[in-house]
Amino acid sequence: MLVRRIRGPGRRGLHPPGAYACAIDLCGPSNLLTLLEGGAAYRRTVDTFMHAHVGDPATERDLLWERSPLSRAADITIPLLIVQGANDVRVPRQEAEQIVAALRAGGVPHEYLLFENEGHGLLRPENRETYYAAVERFLAAHLA
């Protein structure tokens, strides 16, 4: 979420505390372990690619956890808008719900928008309209 990859294997950079007033998560993974171990059965065909480019849960559990936003949830202090499609097979609903639970437990202000009739991303115009209205309201509240 606030972690970005820097060139070079095993290197990462974090934005300094206070760099952002709020954040928005649209269909974002929170736990790379559950992301790679779950998902729809047809996705097993991309396991080799994912294990080579993201990590292999069988041999790199610690690395995958360290790179997972959920492992740093206690460090999140800014308001977060989490948006998820209930039918997402790329980044399952469980990913959003794990970070929502962590934010709730930590008392971090957040909003959770779950679109029951969407998958990965927002394809339906009425859902995009709802999303953009929520983003506008969220940013107005936290950037004022």
Side-chain angles (χ1 to χ4, degrees), residues 27-80:
C27 302
S30 63
N31 182 338
L32 295 175
L33 291 166
T34 56
L35 176 73
L36 293 172
E37 292 171 341
Y42 80 86
R43 296 214 47 207
R44 300 294 60 98
T45 58
V46 297
D47 279 354
T48 302
F49 174 84
M50 294 296 284
H51 293 170
H53 294 281
V54 178
D56 186 342
T59 59
E60 300 176 291
R61 292 191 77 74
D62 291 342
L63 177 70
L64 288 167
W65 175 247
E66 176 188 302
R67 291 184 175 175
S68 296
L70 191 60
S71 76
R72 303 293 304 265
D75 297 333
I76 299 172
T77 58
I78 61 172
L80 195 57

Side-chain angles (χ1 to χ4, degrees), residues 5 12 25 40-41 65 69 75 88 94 109 111 114 137 140 142:
R5 189 140 168 74
R12 68 180 182 152
D25 169 15
W65 175 247
D75 297 333
D88 191 340
Q94 173 190 10
E111 293 180 40
L114 179 67
R137 184 185 69 253
H142 298 292

Side-chain angles (χ1 to χ4, degrees), residues 18 26 32 35 63 65 70 82 86 99 103 105 108-109 117 119 130 132 134 144:
L26 175 60
L32 295 175
L35 176 73
L63 177 70
W65 175 247
L70 191 60
I82 302 100
I99 200 71
L103 295 172
V108 177
N117 60 351
T130 300
Y132 289 128

Side-chain angles (χ1 to χ4, degrees), residues 76-96:
I76 299 172
T77 58
I78 61 172
L80 195 57
L81 172 62
I82 302 100
V83 182
Q84 181 68 37
N87 304 312
D88 191 340
V89 295
R90 291 186 187 116
V91 179
R93 174 182 185 165
Q94 173 190 10
E95 294 298 312

